[in-house]
Amino acid sequence: MPDYLERTREAWTKMSAEYLEPGRRHWSTDEITWGIWGVPESELGALGDLDLLRGKDVIELGCGTGYVSSWLARRGAKPVGIDPTPAQLANARAFQAEFGIEFPLIEAGAEEVPLPDASFDLAVTEYGASIWADPYLWIPEAARLLRPGGTLVFLRNSPIASICTPNEGVATDRLVRDWFGMNRIEWSSHEPEEFHLTTGPMIRLLRSCGFTVEDLIEVQAPVGAQTRYEYITAEWSRRWPSEEIWRVRKEG
Ligand SMILES: C[S@@+](CC[C@H](N)C(=O)[O-])C[C@H]1O[C@@H](n2cnc3c(N)ncnc32)[C@H](O)[C@@H]1O
């Protein structure tokens, strides 16, 4: 088990109640949106042609309340959600019962998933494995789980947002941490560590796992956007991308 995982799981056990309201809000709609600004998939096109999702095997790596998988299930995909935090899986199970959409949920970290090689056509994560797991562990695992030609789509904070954000503070218009060597960050002693690998090493890692980069979508906050998160403002995210979505394909 990775050294950080127990602490992350404890933190997510405590935070899980706060994710019921956003979880229910997301489960309540059919519209696919991305990230803290809720930008519609119809504008970003991260998943490609949604009609092609029908019948596809999908794994969500760090599914939390499971709403991303629910959106894909409604489009005919066959998702499996994995998450290491039992309390978050309990939330996902409760929403499955409430909304009548069922798919398998497995307790596991994205670094080691108890499923066979080449089982999925699409792997997806929105603020799941993409920031909570070490990319040097979860990206090779995603490559193992995908079939040749399969796609990995992940949303995370942009590295530029991370280098502009001080510990225990809000993003500024200054570079406040080093770019070189950035990956594992402890924002404060009372929060679990996160992973924010910079762009060059991320491309190199993806390529070493057999992925070709198809797109890197820099997400701009819409006019008038609001968020309950305190580490970033809409004003900042109108000027610079606070989030990014990678779409990469496993070579066939
Ligand atoms: C913000 S939620 C993201 C999921 C979903 N988009 C949501 O908002 O409900 C983050 C999830 O990542 C999970 N997580 C933490 N560490 C993980 C790891 N190593 N591998 C996979 N998921 C992890 C947490 O348990 C939590 O449920």
Side-chain angles (χ1 to χ4, degrees), residues 138-247:
W138 81 264
I139 288 179
E141 185 67 348
R144 181 186 73 75
L145 291 163
L146 283 169
R147 299 185 175 119
T151 303
L152 166 64
V153 177
F154 61 99
L155 176 140
R156 63 177 194 155
N157 305 98
S158 68
I160 191 171
S162 298
I163 58 163
C164 291
T165 307
N167 288 358
E168 312 212 30
V170 65
T172 71
D173 60 359
R174 300 291 147 92
L175 309 178
V176 297
R177 65 180 69 243
D178 291 347
W179 180 271
F180 291 117
M182 187 172 76
N183 182 27
R184 197 165 168 159
I185 299 182
E186 186 179 43
W187 297 105
S188 75
S189 56
H190 49 84
E191 281 171 324
E193 290 161 291
E194 297 179 6
F195 292 89
H196 296 280
L197 188 62
T198 52
T199 315
M202 178 59 87
I203 291 175
R204 220 162 295 134
L205 170 60
L206 288 164
R207 287 181 56 80
S208 74
C209 295
F211 287 112
T212 302
V213 177
E214 290 192 337
D215 207 349
L216 175 55
I217 302 168
E218 296 168 334
V219 181
Q220 185 181 27
V223 176
Q226 291 184 340
T227 179
R228 69 193 179 101
Y229 295 98
E230 289 173 357
Y231 64 87
I232 199 96
T233 63
E235 187 192 11
W236 194 100
S237 311
R238 288 288 300 156
R239 298 182 67 193
W240 302 286
S242 61
E243 300 177 321
E244 60 184 29
I245 306 174
W246 290 75
R247 179 186 168 89

Side-chain angles (χ1 to χ4, degrees), residues 5 8 12 62-65 67 83-85 88 109-111 126-127 132-133:
L5 189 53
T8 312
W12 273 102
C63 63
T65 58
Y67 57 80
D83 199 289
T85 311
Q88 285 285 79
E111 302 85 354
E126 184 212 31
Y127 284 127
W132 297 104

